[in-house]
Amino acid sequence: MKYILGIETSCDETAAAVLNEQGVVMANLISSQIELHSLYGGVVPEIAARRHLEVLPFLVDEALAAAGIRPEDISLIAVTCGPGLIGGLLVGLSFAKGMALGLGVDLIGVNHIEGHICAGFIEQEVEPPLICLTVSGGHTALLVMDKIGSYKVLGRTQDDAAGETLDKVARVLGLPYPGGPHLEERAACGNAGAYPFPVVHTDNPYDFSFSGLKTAAINLLHRLNQTRQPFSSADFAASFQGAVIKTLVDKTVEAIRTTGVKKLLLTGGVVANRELKSRFQKASEARNFSLYYPSPVYCTDNAAMIAKAGFLSYHTGRRSDFSLRAEPGLSL
Ligand code: KG4
Ligand code: ZN
C-alpha cells in the first residue's frame, strides 16, 4: 500500500484528499459550491453535477501536488458511491474508475455515511464498539458500530434530516444558505427558553422526525409576524436550535443507556455546531460515557473521510470492481 486518493462529489462540495500508507492525511482539498447555490437557497442538483465535472480533475491534481506525490504513487482510489445526488455521484465515480483503470490500481466505493463515521478515526484512536450519531444536511442516523463495516442502525430520520431542518428554518428567518452555521451565530446571544417547541414522538424511540418541528417553527414565525408581536430572532434561533439538539441528545443518551455501549462518536456537518458539542459534553459528564468528534473541517463533507473509510475497509479485505454503481439511496 502506497498512497490513497479519496474523492467526494455526492452533494455540493467537490473534494479530493490524499492519505499516506499509515492512513495519515497528506492533503485535504475542498472546493465549495455554496456561492453557486446560495442564489437558489439550496442545492440545485444539475448545477452541482456540472461544477463537479469542471472542478474535479484540477482539484485532484492540486491534491497530489499538495501531498508531494505523482499519480503513479497512488495504490488505492476511494470514491463516494452513495447516498447522494445522482449527477454528482456519477461524476466522481466515472473519474475514479477512469483513473484507477489507467493507473492499474484498486478501487473502493465508499458509503458517504460510513465516510462521515470514519472521519472520527482521522485524528484520534477510538476503539469500537461505539454508538455513532451522524447528523448532516442529508442524513440523521443513530447506530452501533461493532467494527469497520459492521453497523446496526438503531434509528434514522423519518422525514427531514437535522441539518436540512436547521437550514429551512434559517431560510425563513432570512439567513443565508446553508443556514446551520448562521443560525448558530444568531442563537449565540439568544434565550433558548424563549419559545416553546413540541417534543416529537416516534414509534421507534431511536428514530427522528424533524418535519413537525420545522412546521411548528414556521407556523409560529408566521403567527408572530401576522400579529405583529415583539420578536427576537436571536431568541427564536436559540430556542429552535435548542429543540433540535435536545432531540438528538435525548435519543442518543437513551441508546447509550439501553445498549450499555459507553463510547459515543458524533459525526456529520451539524457536529460543527458548538452548542451541540457542549450539550453532549454535559451529557457525557452526567451519564459517564466517553465522547469523540472530529474537528469541524472533518465534520462537513470532505474527501479525507472517504479516503479514511476506503483505507480502513481495504484493510478488512474489501475491494470494489468496475461494475461499481452510483446509488443515490444507498443505506448502510
Ligand atoms: O455533512 P455535510 O457537509 O453535508 C451532508 O452530508 O449533508 O452537512 C451539511 C449540513 C448543513 O445542513 C449545514 O447547515 C450543517 O451541516 N452545518 C451546521 C453547522 N455547520 C454546518 N449546522 C449547525 N451548526 C453549524 N455550525
Ligand atoms: Zn455529508
Side-chain angles (χ1 to χ4, degrees):
M1 170 72 73
K2 292 188 287 180
Y3 291 88
I4 302 104
L5 172 67
I7 293 174
E8 158 61 39
T9 56
S10 68
C11 191
D12 60 346
E13 324 275 5
T14 317
V18 176
L19 307 190
N20 70 11
E21 69 273 28
Q22 273 99 40
V24 174
V25 179
M26 308 296 291
N28 182 37
L29 301 189
I30 301 164
S31 169
S32 173
Q33 303 182 358
I34 284 177
E35 227 171 88
L36 203 60
H37 300 289
S38 57
L39 191 63
Y40 307 98
V43 180
V44 183
E46 180 60 23
I47 294 177
R50 283 172 195 270
R51 180 53 68 93
H52 287 308
L53 194 59
E54 287 163 11
V55 169
L56 185 60
F58 300 101
L59 200 71
V60 167
D61 276 352
E62 277 180 49
L64 298 187
I69 65 165
R70 297 161 305 151
E72 307 82 73
D73 297 324
I74 295 168
S75 57
L76 173 68
I77 299 180
V79 60
T80 306
C81 58
L85 301 171
I86 183 70
L89 291 171
L90 282 171
V91 171
L93 206 57
S94 309
F95 185 91
K97 280 184 184 176
M99 195 162 171
L101 200 60
L103 293 170
V105 301
D106 284 320
L107 175 74
I108 195 157
V110 173
N111 180 309
H112 183 81
I113 299 169
E114 185 170 33
H116 274 300
I117 293 168
C118 290
F121 297 84
I122 292 176
E123 300 160 290
Q124 60 205 345
E125 299 277 332
V126 197
E127 212 36 62
L130 303 167
I131 296 285
C132 298
L133 175 70
T134 300
V135 265
S136 72
H139 321 282
T140 307
L142 183 59
L143 49 95
V144 184
M145 173 190 196
D146 288 320
K147 55 181 191 235
I148 294 292
S150 170
Y151 309 95
K152 178 172 180 256
V153 177
L154 300 174
R156 52 169 65 94
T157 184
Q158 299 297 292
D159 36 61
D160 293 0
E164 184 184 0
T165 311
L166 294 171
D167 292 348
K168 283 184 180 158
V169 170
R171 186 176 169 185
V172 179
L173 271 179
L175 299 173
Y177 163 84
H182 297 283
L183 198 75
E184 173 176 24
E185 222 172 277
R186 186 61 60 92
C189 50
N191 169 13
Y195 297 99
F197 285 102
V199 176
V200 179
H201 292 280
T202 48
D203 290 346
N204 168 2
Y206 305 122
D207 277 342
F208 300 91
S209 170
F210 291 110
S211 147
L213 202 56
K214 176 188 70 185
T215 307
I218 294 173
N219 286 346
L220 178 59
L221 268 176
H222 287 157
R223 219 168 36 247
L224 290 168
N225 199 15
Q226 278 164 357
T227 52
R228 298 186 188 283
Q229 289 177 44
F231 169 71
S232 155
S233 67
D235 286 354
F236 191 90
S239 303
F240 182 70
Q241 180 184 266
V244 171
I245 294 174
K246 183 176 179 343
T247 304
L248 295 170
V249 172
D250 288 353
K251 288 178 182 266
T252 307
V253 164
E254 182 59 12
I256 290 168
R257 192 185 67 78
T258 51
T259 59
V261 176
K262 303 287 261 178
K263 290 180 194 168
L264 171 64
L265 173 61
L266 304 175
T267 58
V270 180
V271 179
N273 187 286
R274 290 182 299 272
E275 179 64 15
L276 178 140
K277 285 181 281 199
S278 144
R279 298 245 200 135
F280 270 105
Q281 189 63 47
K282 284 187 192 128
S284 82
E285 285 156 18
R287 304 296 182 122
N288 195 27
F289 61 84
S290 309
L291 179 65
Y292 306 88
Y293 48 79
S295 301
V297 68
Y298 297 126
C299 287
T300 44
D301 284 351
N302 66 88
M305 70 185 196
I306 302 302
K308 189 75 182 187
F311 170 83
L312 295 171
S313 306
Y314 186 88
H315 286 292
T316 67
R318 203 165 78 74
R319 308 283 183 276
S320 300
D321 62 32
F322 287 91
S323 65
L324 181 66
R325 286 158 53 103
E327 290 187 61
L330 186 66
S331 56
L332 262 185

